[in-house]
Amino acid sequence: MNILSCQLFNEGAKNILDDILLSIQYKSIPKPVVIAGVNSESINAVVKTTAKNLLCNKQICDHLSKCNVCLQIESESYPDFHIIDNDLGNNIKSEKIQESIIAKSYTTSTNNNGKVFAILNAHTMTSQAMNNLLKLFEEPFPGNVYVLGTNNISRIPKTILSRCEIFTIPSLSYENFIDICTKKFQIDDLNFVNEIWFFTRGEILLSESMLNDPEKFEEYKSEIKNFFNFISCPVYKKIELSDYYLDVFKNDFSKFLYVSEITKYIIRDLILYRKTNHSDNNLLTFYAKTLADKDDSKCLDIIKTLDEVSNYYYKNVNTTLLIDNLIYSL
């Protein structure tokens, strides 16, 4: 299914990319852009595609034969594309903003279309870093485009957001996703397509990745099922599993974040499933059994607990304490 490479992303992201370009290209000093979404990989892809569309010599390359500019943007080595990405690691400090964004804003560009500056996981900037960025946004330099990517827009101050154009990466609705996969891509395995949507909720880049790699999809499903077992098992069992999730928190929090988001979607589906007298949805059978001893009120408490874990993480609470809170709150 590698023929689908980039096609679902292009289909799902086309409108937002068109809107972003319209907001930038016909202004001498365009407003900074915030790109919000759930999946960090999709945010990264939209940010880089925006940069390619603005800086590419061919304006927009096809995905089979990229020009040198696009290849360098992909590898983050193009001299007029400056990007900060801490991958949800340590906070982005003011020194980094000063060095990689502010100082380079006043250098000469080699590209006739100017320069693009991007900050991924922008919500992890320190207060001082955000204040420095705010000063730059108040007096922007002609020819520069500033793009912020985030999967937690609520942590970006309103003073910054008020100076930006905000775009949200769409997830494909169930009907749209099924229609694209079965009619445009002519995938005839409807059960497989249904499963993909159930576990990705139409998030464009994640869905595409799973469509292209069924083995990876099986691993992903297993990860979500294991997490459901974790949140439903007795405390002593949670403690036995705590080292694994502590490692995830420390080394790949974005993985936990997305598994957590899908878990919350499935729990909400489960509550509706119960209220409709167990409507026909075979995909929910495992989760209905796993959370059979949790009434709707307890299920809502689980959703609240998972929301709190993310909030505590972004406040730099010790990861061991986060795990303890997760274990004893579920």
Side-chain angles (χ1 to χ4, degrees), residues 234-277:
V235 170
Y236 79 89
K237 195 69 176 176
K238 287 188 177 76
I239 294 173
E240 291 178 8
L241 297 168
S242 63
D243 284 347
Y244 171 77
Y245 286 105
L246 181 61
D247 183 65
V248 172
F249 269 49
K250 288 181 176 178
N251 300 311
D252 194 1
F253 185 71
S254 58
K255 172 183 175 181
F256 172 83
L257 187 67
Y258 204 76
V259 168
S260 172
E261 285 298 315
I262 295 301
T263 295
K264 289 186 284 187
Y265 275 121
I266 294 174
I267 292 174
R268 293 186 189 103
D269 282 353
L270 179 58
I271 293 172
L272 292 174
Y273 175 83
R274 291 168 172 172
K275 293 183 181 302
T276 53
N277 299 315

mmCIF file of all heavy atoms in Angstrom, residues 234-277:
data_model
loop_
_atom_site.group_PDB
_atom_site.id
_atom_site.type_symbol
_atom_site.label_atom_id
_atom_site.label_comp_id
_atom_site.label_asym_id
_atom_site.label_seq_id
_atom_site.Cartn_x
_atom_site.Cartn_y
_atom_site.Cartn_z
ATOM 1 N N PRO A 234 -5.837 -3.974 38.949
ATOM 2 C CA PRO A 234 -5.661 -3.590 40.361
ATOM 3 C C PRO A 234 -4.375 -2.789 40.568
ATOM 4 O O PRO A 234 -3.448 -2.847 39.754
ATOM 5 C CB PRO A 234 -5.582 -4.940 41.077
ATOM 6 C CG PRO A 234 -6.184 -5.931 40.146
ATOM 7 C CD PRO A 234 -5.900 -5.429 38.773
ATOM 8 N N VAL A 235 -4.303 -2.085 41.683
ATOM 9 C CA VAL A 235 -3.162 -1.214 41.956
ATOM 10 C C VAL A 235 -1.845 -1.984 41.954
ATOM 11 O O VAL A 235 -0.844 -1.521 41.397
ATOM 12 C CB VAL A 235 -3.353 -0.482 43.310
ATOM 13 C CG1 VAL A 235 -2.060 0.234 43.716
ATOM 14 C CG2 VAL A 235 -4.489 0.520 43.216
ATOM 15 N N TYR A 236 -1.833 -3.176 42.562
ATOM 16 C CA TYR A 236 -0.572 -3.927 42.624
ATOM 17 C C TYR A 236 -0.049 -4.250 41.226
ATOM 18 O O TYR A 236 1.168 -4.263 40.979
ATOM 19 C CB TYR A 236 -0.747 -5.201 43.453
ATOM 20 C CG TYR A 236 -1.419 -6.353 42.738
ATOM 21 C CD1 TYR A 236 -0.666 -7.287 42.008
ATOM 22 C CD2 TYR A 236 -2.807 -6.516 42.777
ATOM 23 C CE1 TYR A 236 -1.280 -8.338 41.349
ATOM 24 C CE2 TYR A 236 -3.417 -7.556 42.117
ATOM 25 C CZ TYR A 236 -2.651 -8.468 41.409
ATOM 26 O OH TYR A 236 -3.259 -9.510 40.745
ATOM 27 N N LYS A 237 -0.970 -4.505 40.299
ATOM 28 C CA LYS A 237 -0.568 -4.799 38.926
ATOM 29 C C LYS A 237 -0.068 -3.531 38.233
ATOM 30 O O LYS A 237 0.887 -3.567 37.444
ATOM 31 C CB LYS A 237 -1.754 -5.393 38.154
ATOM 32 C CG LYS A 237 -1.376 -6.056 36.843
ATOM 33 C CD LYS A 237 -0.596 -7.334 37.068
ATOM 34 C CE LYS A 237 -0.298 -8.043 35.762
ATOM 35 N NZ LYS A 237 0.546 -9.230 35.978
ATOM 36 N N LYS A 238 -0.730 -2.401 38.508
ATOM 37 C CA LYS A 238 -0.269 -1.123 37.947
ATOM 38 C C LYS A 238 1.163 -0.836 38.390
ATOM 39 O O LYS A 238 1.986 -0.342 37.614
ATOM 40 C CB LYS A 238 -1.189 0.014 38.385
ATOM 41 C CG LYS A 238 -2.564 0.045 37.728
ATOM 42 C CD LYS A 238 -3.270 1.332 38.104
ATOM 43 C CE LYS A 238 -4.629 1.453 37.420
ATOM 44 N NZ LYS A 238 -5.641 0.598 38.050
ATOM 45 N N ILE A 239 1.453 -1.126 39.656
ATOM 46 C CA ILE A 239 2.804 -0.888 40.174
ATOM 47 C C ILE A 239 3.829 -1.747 39.423
ATOM 48 O O ILE A 239 4.923 -1.285 39.096
ATOM 49 C CB ILE A 239 2.858 -1.163 41.696
ATOM 50 C CG1 ILE A 239 1.995 -0.136 42.429
ATOM 51 C CG2 ILE A 239 4.300 -1.132 42.202
ATOM 52 C CD1 ILE A 239 1.824 -0.408 43.910
ATOM 53 N N GLU A 240 3.449 -2.987 39.102
ATOM 54 C CA GLU A 240 4.347 -3.861 38.338
ATOM 55 C C GLU A 240 4.634 -3.293 36.950
ATOM 56 O O GLU A 240 5.722 -3.484 36.407
ATOM 57 C CB GLU A 240 3.729 -5.261 38.199
ATOM 58 C CG GLU A 240 3.667 -6.051 39.497
ATOM 59 C CD GLU A 240 2.996 -7.404 39.307
ATOM 60 O OE1 GLU A 240 2.729 -7.780 38.132
ATOM 61 O OE2 GLU A 240 2.712 -8.088 40.314
ATOM 62 N N LEU A 241 3.659 -2.612 36.383
ATOM 63 C CA LEU A 241 3.805 -2.064 35.029
ATOM 64 C C LEU A 241 4.355 -0.640 35.024
ATOM 65 O O LEU A 241 4.581 -0.067 33.958
ATOM 66 C CB LEU A 241 2.441 -2.077 34.320
ATOM 67 C CG LEU A 241 1.812 -3.456 34.080
ATOM 68 C CD1 LEU A 241 0.363 -3.303 33.640
ATOM 69 C CD2 LEU A 241 2.613 -4.223 33.032
ATOM 70 N N SER A 242 4.562 -0.076 36.189
ATOM 71 C CA SER A 242 4.903 1.347 36.279
ATOM 72 C C SER A 242 6.234 1.681 35.611
ATOM 73 O O SER A 242 6.377 2.775 35.047
ATOM 74 C CB SER A 242 4.922 1.801 37.738
ATOM 75 O OG SER A 242 5.928 1.105 38.466
ATOM 76 N N ASP A 243 7.207 0.766 35.660
ATOM 77 C CA ASP A 243 8.511 1.061 35.051
ATOM 78 C C ASP A 243 8.391 1.297 33.554
ATOM 79 O O ASP A 243 9.071 2.156 32.994
ATOM 80 C CB ASP A 243 9.506 -0.077 35.315
ATOM 81 C CG ASP A 243 10.052 -0.066 36.727
ATOM 82 O OD1 ASP A 243 9.851 0.950 37.420
ATOM 83 O OD2 ASP A 243 10.652 -1.072 37.137
ATOM 84 N N TYR A 244 7.518 0.518 32.910
ATOM 85 C CA TYR A 244 7.346 0.681 31.461
ATOM 86 C C TYR A 244 6.808 2.078 31.152
ATOM 87 O O TYR A 244 7.338 2.784 30.279
ATOM 88 C CB TYR A 244 6.392 -0.373 30.908
ATOM 89 C CG TYR A 244 6.019 -0.124 29.457
ATOM 90 C CD1 TYR A 244 6.916 -0.429 28.434
ATOM 91 C CD2 TYR A 244 4.798 0.445 29.111
ATOM 92 C CE1 TYR A 244 6.597 -0.176 27.103
ATOM 93 C CE2 TYR A 244 4.465 0.698 27.798
ATOM 94 C CZ TYR A 244 5.371 0.381 26.792
ATOM 95 O OH TYR A 244 5.052 0.645 25.486
ATOM 96 N N TYR A 245 5.758 2.500 31.868
ATOM 97 C CA TYR A 245 5.162 3.801 31.568
ATOM 98 C C TYR A 245 6.032 4.948 32.064
ATOM 99 O O TYR A 245 6.005 6.044 31.489
ATOM 100 C CB TYR A 245 3.744 3.868 32.128
ATOM 101 C CG TYR A 245 2.799 3.041 31.289
ATOM 102 C CD1 TYR A 245 2.325 1.807 31.729
ATOM 103 C CD2 TYR A 245 2.433 3.471 30.021
ATOM 104 C CE1 TYR A 245 1.503 1.033 30.927
ATOM 105 C CE2 TYR A 245 1.610 2.703 29.221
ATOM 106 C CZ TYR A 245 1.152 1.479 29.672
ATOM 107 O OH TYR A 245 0.360 0.707 28.867
ATOM 108 N N LEU A 246 6.836 4.709 33.076
ATOM 109 C CA LEU A 246 7.804 5.717 33.490
ATOM 110 C C LEU A 246 8.811 5.966 32.370
ATOM 111 O O LEU A 246 9.172 7.113 32.079
ATOM 112 C CB LEU A 246 8.528 5.267 34.759
ATOM 113 C CG LEU A 246 9.560 6.242 35.341
ATOM 114 C CD1 LEU A 246 8.900 7.566 35.725
ATOM 115 C CD2 LEU A 246 10.241 5.619 36.552
ATOM 116 N N ASP A 247 9.228 4.882 31.712
ATOM 117 C CA ASP A 247 10.155 5.007 30.587
ATOM 118 C C ASP A 247 9.501 5.775 29.432
ATOM 119 O O ASP A 247 10.140 6.608 28.786
ATOM 120 C CB ASP A 247 10.588 3.609 30.124
ATOM 121 C CG ASP A 247 11.623 3.667 29.007
ATOM 122 O OD1 ASP A 247 12.738 4.155 29.260
ATOM 123 O OD2 ASP A 247 11.304 3.227 27.889
ATOM 124 N N VAL A 248 8.232 5.493 29.165
ATOM 125 C CA VAL A 248 7.513 6.212 28.106
ATOM 126 C C VAL A 248 7.430 7.700 28.439
ATOM 127 O O VAL A 248 7.657 8.560 27.582
ATOM 128 C CB VAL A 248 6.096 5.625 27.906
ATOM 129 C CG1 VAL A 248 5.280 6.494 26.955
ATOM 130 C CG2 VAL A 248 6.188 4.205 27.362
ATOM 131 N N PHE A 249 7.112 8.016 29.694
ATOM 132 C CA PHE A 249 7.020 9.411 30.116
ATOM 133 C C PHE A 249 8.335 10.144 29.880
ATOM 134 O O PHE A 249 8.353 11.275 29.422
ATOM 135 C CB PHE A 249 6.672 9.471 31.613
ATOM 136 C CG PHE A 249 5.202 9.533 31.897
ATOM 137 C CD1 PHE A 249 4.337 8.647 31.282
ATOM 138 C CD2 PHE A 249 4.680 10.447 32.778
ATOM 139 C CE1 PHE A 249 2.979 8.677 31.538
ATOM 140 C CE2 PHE A 249 3.322 10.491 33.044
ATOM 141 C CZ PHE A 249 2.475 9.605 32.422
ATOM 142 N N LYS A 250 9.433 9.477 30.219
ATOM 143 C CA LYS A 250 10.741 10.128 30.152
ATOM 144 C C LYS A 250 11.262 10.257 28.722
ATOM 145 O O LYS A 250 11.885 11.254 28.365
ATOM 146 C CB LYS A 250 11.762 9.346 30.995
ATOM 147 C CG LYS A 250 11.557 9.473 32.501
ATOM 148 C CD LYS A 250 12.621 8.681 33.246
ATOM 149 C CE LYS A 250 12.501 8.883 34.749
ATOM 150 N NZ LYS A 250 13.499 8.083 35.502
ATOM 151 N N ASN A 251 11.008 9.230 27.900
ATOM 152 C CA ASN A 251 11.667 9.161 26.593
ATOM 153 C C ASN A 251 10.772 9.394 25.393
ATOM 154 O O ASN A 251 11.264 9.674 24.297
ATOM 155 C CB ASN A 251 12.367 7.804 26.445
ATOM 156 C CG ASN A 251 13.418 7.580 27.516
ATOM 157 O OD1 ASN A 251 14.251 8.444 27.751
ATOM 158 N ND2 ASN A 251 13.377 6.430 28.176
ATOM 159 N N ASP A 252 9.455 9.247 25.576
ATOM 160 C CA ASP A 252 8.563 9.402 24.413
ATOM 161 C C ASP A 252 7.183 9.833 24.885
ATOM 162 O O ASP A 252 6.193 9.138 24.668
ATOM 163 C CB ASP A 252 8.490 8.074 23.638
ATOM 164 C CG ASP A 252 7.867 8.241 22.256
ATOM 165 O OD1 ASP A 252 7.509 9.385 21.904
ATOM 166 O OD2 ASP A 252 7.741 7.240 21.537
ATOM 167 N N PHE A 253 7.135 11.011 25.524
ATOM 168 C CA PHE A 253 5.859 11.452 26.084
ATOM 169 C C PHE A 253 4.815 11.674 25.002
ATOM 170 O O PHE A 253 3.623 11.509 25.240
ATOM 171 C CB PHE A 253 6.027 12.725 26.903
ATOM 172 C CG PHE A 253 4.760 13.145 27.606
ATOM 173 C CD1 PHE A 253 4.276 12.416 28.680
ATOM 174 C CD2 PHE A 253 4.033 14.239 27.172
ATOM 175 C CE1 PHE A 253 3.099 12.775 29.321
ATOM 176 C CE2 PHE A 253 2.862 14.614 27.793
ATOM 177 C CZ PHE A 253 2.394 13.876 28.873
ATOM 178 N N SER A 254 5.252 12.045 23.791
ATOM 179 C CA SER A 254 4.296 12.250 22.703
ATOM 180 C C SER A 254 3.539 10.952 22.398
ATOM 181 O O SER A 254 2.370 10.976 22.029
ATOM 182 C CB SER A 254 5.002 12.758 21.442
ATOM 183 O OG SER A 254 6.001 11.864 21.037
ATOM 184 N N LYS A 255 4.221 9.803 22.580
ATOM 185 C CA LYS A 255 3.561 8.508 22.394
ATOM 186 C C LYS A 255 2.480 8.325 23.448
ATOM 187 O O LYS A 255 1.338 7.948 23.136
ATOM 188 C CB LYS A 255 4.597 7.386 22.498
ATOM 189 C CG LYS A 255 4.028 5.979 22.515
ATOM 190 C CD LYS A 255 5.153 4.967 22.686
ATOM 191 C CE LYS A 255 4.646 3.551 22.821
ATOM 192 N NZ LYS A 255 5.759 2.582 23.000
ATOM 193 N N PHE A 256 2.813 8.612 24.709
ATOM 194 C CA PHE A 256 1.810 8.497 25.768
ATOM 195 C C PHE A 256 0.645 9.440 25.501
ATOM 196 O O PHE A 256 -0.517 9.085 25.667
ATOM 197 C CB PHE A 256 2.424 8.823 27.134
ATOM 198 C CG PHE A 256 1.390 8.904 28.226
ATOM 199 C CD1 PHE A 256 0.936 7.762 28.854
ATOM 200 C CD2 PHE A 256 0.822 10.132 28.575
ATOM 201 C CE1 PHE A 256 -0.044 7.829 29.838
ATOM 202 C CE2 PHE A 256 -0.160 10.208 29.538
ATOM 203 C CZ PHE A 256 -0.584 9.063 30.184
ATOM 204 N N LEU A 257 0.963 10.655 25.078
ATOM 205 C CA LEU A 257 -0.066 11.665 24.848
ATOM 206 C C LEU A 257 -1.073 11.197 23.811
ATOM 207 O O LEU A 257 -2.287 11.327 24.000
ATOM 208 C CB LEU A 257 0.592 12.969 24.396
ATOM 209 C CG LEU A 257 -0.313 14.187 24.263
ATOM 210 C CD1 LEU A 257 -0.825 14.609 25.630
ATOM 211 C CD2 LEU A 257 0.434 15.339 23.613
ATOM 212 N N TYR A 258 -0.578 10.602 22.715
ATOM 213 C CA TYR A 258 -1.514 10.204 21.671
ATOM 214 C C TYR A 258 -2.300 8.956 22.052
ATOM 215 O O TYR A 258 -3.507 8.877 21.797
ATOM 216 C CB TYR A 258 -0.798 10.002 20.326
ATOM 217 C CG TYR A 258 -1.781 10.188 19.202
ATOM 218 C CD1 TYR A 258 -2.197 11.459 18.832
ATOM 219 C CD2 TYR A 258 -2.364 9.092 18.564
ATOM 220 C CE1 TYR A 258 -3.148 11.638 17.844
ATOM 221 C CE2 TYR A 258 -3.317 9.272 17.583
ATOM 222 C CZ TYR A 258 -3.705 10.553 17.230
ATOM 223 O OH TYR A 258 -4.658 10.722 16.274
ATOM 224 N N VAL A 259 -1.637 7.983 22.692
ATOM 225 C CA VAL A 259 -2.363 6.805 23.180
ATOM 226 C C VAL A 259 -3.439 7.244 24.172
ATOM 227 O O VAL A 259 -4.567 6.735 24.165
ATOM 228 C CB VAL A 259 -1.389 5.793 23.832
ATOM 229 C CG1 VAL A 259 -2.144 4.721 24.607
ATOM 230 C CG2 VAL A 259 -0.511 5.146 22.770
ATOM 231 N N SER A 260 -3.102 8.206 25.002
ATOM 232 C CA SER A 260 -4.055 8.737 25.975
ATOM 233 C C SER A 260 -5.250 9.389 25.281
ATOM 234 O O SER A 260 -6.405 9.191 25.685
ATOM 235 C CB SER A 260 -3.347 9.750 26.881
ATOM 236 O OG SER A 260 -4.256 10.421 27.708
ATOM 237 N N GLU A 261 -4.996 10.164 24.220
ATOM 238 C CA GLU A 261 -6.084 10.823 23.492
ATOM 239 C C GLU A 261 -7.032 9.797 22.871
ATOM 240 O O GLU A 261 -8.252 9.928 22.956
ATOM 241 C CB GLU A 261 -5.513 11.733 22.401
ATOM 242 C CG GLU A 261 -4.904 13.017 22.911
ATOM 243 C CD GLU A 261 -5.914 13.899 23.620
ATOM 244 O OE1 GLU A 261 -7.034 14.070 23.102
ATOM 245 O OE2 GLU A 261 -5.586 14.403 24.705
ATOM 246 N N ILE A 262 -6.465 8.775 22.223
ATOM 247 C CA ILE A 262 -7.317 7.739 21.609
ATOM 248 C C ILE A 262 -8.083 6.980 22.688
ATOM 249 O O ILE A 262 -9.261 6.628 22.508
ATOM 250 C CB ILE A 262 -6.457 6.775 20.765
ATOM 251 C CG1 ILE A 262 -5.827 7.522 19.582
ATOM 252 C CG2 ILE A 262 -7.309 5.607 20.249
ATOM 253 C CD1 ILE A 262 -6.814 8.183 18.644
ATOM 254 N N THR A 263 -7.438 6.739 23.821
ATOM 255 C CA THR A 263 -8.113 6.068 24.939
ATOM 256 C C THR A 263 -9.346 6.859 25.373
ATOM 257 O O THR A 263 -10.421 6.287 25.602
ATOM 258 C CB THR A 263 -7.144 5.915 26.125
ATOM 259 O OG1 THR A 263 -6.081 5.047 25.740
ATOM 260 C CG2 THR A 263 -7.849 5.329 27.342
ATOM 261 N N LYS A 264 -9.205 8.170 25.460
ATOM 262 C CA LYS A 264 -10.348 8.999 25.879
ATOM 263 C C LYS A 264 -11.470 8.943 24.849
ATOM 264 O O LYS A 264 -12.656 8.896 25.210
ATOM 265 C CB LYS A 264 -9.874 10.432 26.119
ATOM 266 C CG LYS A 264 -9.011 10.575 27.371
ATOM 267 C CD LYS A 264 -8.659 12.022 27.684
ATOM 268 C CE LYS A 264 -7.608 12.565 26.785
ATOM 269 N NZ LYS A 264 -7.149 13.920 27.188
ATOM 270 N N TYR A 265 -11.120 8.937 23.561
ATOM 271 C CA TYR A 265 -12.147 8.797 22.517
ATOM 272 C C TYR A 265 -12.900 7.478 22.692
ATOM 273 O O TYR A 265 -14.131 7.424 22.599
ATOM 274 C CB TYR A 265 -11.496 8.823 21.130
ATOM 275 C CG TYR A 265 -11.260 10.195 20.553
ATOM 276 C CD1 TYR A 265 -9.975 10.604 20.211
ATOM 277 C CD2 TYR A 265 -12.321 11.072 20.323
ATOM 278 C CE1 TYR A 265 -9.742 11.862 19.661
ATOM 279 C CE2 TYR A 265 -12.100 12.324 19.771
ATOM 280 C CZ TYR A 265 -10.807 12.716 19.442
ATOM 281 O OH TYR A 265 -10.581 13.946 18.905
ATOM 282 N N ILE A 266 -12.151 6.403 22.908
ATOM 283 C CA ILE A 266 -12.776 5.083 23.007
ATOM 284 C C ILE A 266 -13.665 4.998 24.243
ATOM 285 O O ILE A 266 -14.767 4.415 24.196
ATOM 286 C CB ILE A 266 -11.700 3.971 23.020
ATOM 287 C CG1 ILE A 266 -10.978 3.928 21.661
ATOM 288 C CG2 ILE A 266 -12.326 2.616 23.322
ATOM 289 C CD1 ILE A 266 -9.805 2.961 21.610
ATOM 290 N N ILE A 267 -13.231 5.594 25.353
ATOM 291 C CA ILE A 267 -14.055 5.575 26.563
ATOM 292 C C ILE A 267 -15.363 6.332 26.334
ATOM 293 O O ILE A 267 -16.439 5.891 26.763
ATOM 294 C CB ILE A 267 -13.280 6.165 27.764
ATOM 295 C CG1 ILE A 267 -12.129 5.236 28.149
ATOM 296 C CG2 ILE A 267 -14.208 6.362 28.964
ATOM 297 C CD1 ILE A 267 -11.218 5.791 29.227
ATOM 298 N N ARG A 268 -15.281 7.450 25.641
ATOM 299 C CA ARG A 268 -16.524 8.192 25.333
ATOM 300 C C ARG A 268 -17.436 7.354 24.454
ATOM 301 O O ARG A 268 -18.664 7.331 24.646
ATOM 302 C CB ARG A 268 -16.188 9.521 24.642
ATOM 303 C CG ARG A 268 -15.454 10.507 25.545
ATOM 304 C CD ARG A 268 -15.274 11.852 24.850
ATOM 305 N NE ARG A 268 -14.383 12.733 25.609
ATOM 306 C CZ ARG A 268 -13.127 12.980 25.303
ATOM 307 N NH1 ARG A 268 -12.581 12.417 24.226
ATOM 308 N NH2 ARG A 268 -12.392 13.773 26.040
ATOM 309 N N ASP A 269 -16.849 6.658 23.475
ATOM 310 C CA ASP A 269 -17.644 5.755 22.634
ATOM 311 C C ASP A 269 -18.296 4.674 23.484
ATOM 312 O O ASP A 269 -19.443 4.287 23.247
ATOM 313 C CB ASP A 269 -16.749 5.083 21.583
ATOM 314 C CG ASP A 269 -16.423 5.997 20.416
ATOM 315 O OD1 ASP A 269 -16.992 7.097 20.351
ATOM 316 O OD2 ASP A 269 -15.593 5.607 19.574
ATOM 317 N N LEU A 270 -17.549 4.172 24.456
ATOM 318 C CA LEU A 270 -18.046 3.096 25.309
ATOM 319 C C LEU A 270 -19.255 3.552 26.121
ATOM 320 O O LEU A 270 -20.233 2.801 26.274
ATOM 321 C CB LEU A 270 -16.928 2.627 26.240
ATOM 322 C CG LEU A 270 -17.268 1.506 27.223
ATOM 323 C CD1 LEU A 270 -17.753 0.268 26.488
ATOM 324 C CD2 LEU A 270 -16.044 1.171 28.075
ATOM 325 N N ILE A 271 -19.215 4.781 26.614
ATOM 326 C CA ILE A 271 -20.354 5.308 27.368
ATOM 327 C C ILE A 271 -21.599 5.371 26.474
ATOM 328 O O ILE A 271 -22.700 4.979 26.886
ATOM 329 C CB ILE A 271 -20.014 6.699 27.948
ATOM 330 C CG1 ILE A 271 -18.914 6.566 29.014
ATOM 331 C CG2 ILE A 271 -21.260 7.367 28.534
ATOM 332 C CD1 ILE A 271 -18.366 7.900 29.515
ATOM 333 N N LEU A 272 -21.425 5.848 25.232
ATOM 334 C CA LEU A 272 -22.549 5.875 24.290
ATOM 335 C C LEU A 272 -23.008 4.469 23.941
ATOM 336 O O LEU A 272 -24.206 4.195 23.812
ATOM 337 C CB LEU A 272 -22.135 6.628 23.017
ATOM 338 C CG LEU A 272 -21.896 8.124 23.154
ATOM 339 C CD1 LEU A 272 -21.350 8.690 21.850
ATOM 340 C CD2 LEU A 272 -23.187 8.848 23.534
ATOM 341 N N TYR A 273 -22.047 3.572 23.796
ATOM 342 C CA TYR A 273 -22.316 2.159 23.479
ATOM 343 C C TYR A 273 -23.240 1.542 24.525
ATOM 344 O O TYR A 273 -24.183 0.833 24.215
ATOM 345 C CB TYR A 273 -20.962 1.459 23.432
ATOM 346 C CG TYR A 273 -20.933 -0.031 23.232
ATOM 347 C CD1 TYR A 273 -21.021 -0.586 21.961
ATOM 348 C CD2 TYR A 273 -20.746 -0.887 24.313
ATOM 349 C CE1 TYR A 273 -20.929 -1.959 21.773
ATOM 350 C CE2 TYR A 273 -20.652 -2.262 24.136
ATOM 351 C CZ TYR A 273 -20.740 -2.791 22.860
ATOM 352 O OH TYR A 273 -20.648 -4.153 22.672
ATOM 353 N N ARG A 274 -22.975 1.868 25.786
ATOM 354 C CA ARG A 274 -23.818 1.348 26.872
ATOM 355 C C ARG A 274 -25.210 1.951 26.832
ATOM 356 O O ARG A 274 -26.209 1.266 27.066
ATOM 357 C CB ARG A 274 -23.166 1.666 28.224
ATOM 358 C CG ARG A 274 -21.885 0.884 28.501
ATOM 359 C CD ARG A 274 -21.173 1.458 29.703
ATOM 360 N NE ARG A 274 -20.050 0.632 30.129
ATOM 361 C CZ ARG A 274 -19.174 0.997 31.054
ATOM 362 N NH1 ARG A 274 -19.308 2.185 31.646
ATOM 363 N NH2 ARG A 274 -18.179 0.202 31.382
ATOM 364 N N LYS A 275 -25.278 3.248 26.525
ATOM 365 C CA LYS A 275 -26.570 3.933 26.557
ATOM 366 C C LYS A 275 -27.465 3.527 25.397
ATOM 367 O O LYS A 275 -28.671 3.749 25.442
ATOM 368 C CB LYS A 275 -26.355 5.450 26.544
ATOM 369 C CG LYS A 275 -25.699 5.989 27.815
ATOM 370 C CD LYS A 275 -25.590 7.500 27.777
ATOM 371 C CE LYS A 275 -24.917 8.049 29.023
ATOM 372 N NZ LYS A 275 -25.608 7.690 30.259
ATOM 373 N N THR A 276 -26.886 2.973 24.331
ATOM 374 C CA THR A 276 -27.681 2.559 23.177
ATOM 375 C C THR A 276 -27.884 1.040 23.177
ATOM 376 O O THR A 276 -27.997 0.421 22.127
ATOM 377 C CB THR A 276 -27.002 2.985 21.869
ATOM 378 O OG1 THR A 276 -25.646 2.499 21.853
ATOM 379 C CG2 THR A 276 -26.991 4.489 21.730
ATOM 380 N N ASN A 277 -27.900 0.469 24.361
ATOM 381 C CA ASN A 277 -28.145 -0.978 24.521
ATOM 382 C C ASN A 277 -27.169 -1.826 23.708
ATOM 383 O O ASN A 277 -27.554 -2.754 22.996
ATOM 384 C CB ASN A 277 -29.594 -1.319 24.118
ATOM 385 C CG ASN A 277 -30.598 -0.597 24.990
ATOM 386 O OD1 ASN A 277 -30.438 -0.560 26.212
ATOM 387 N ND2 ASN A 277 -31.608 -0.008 24.370
#
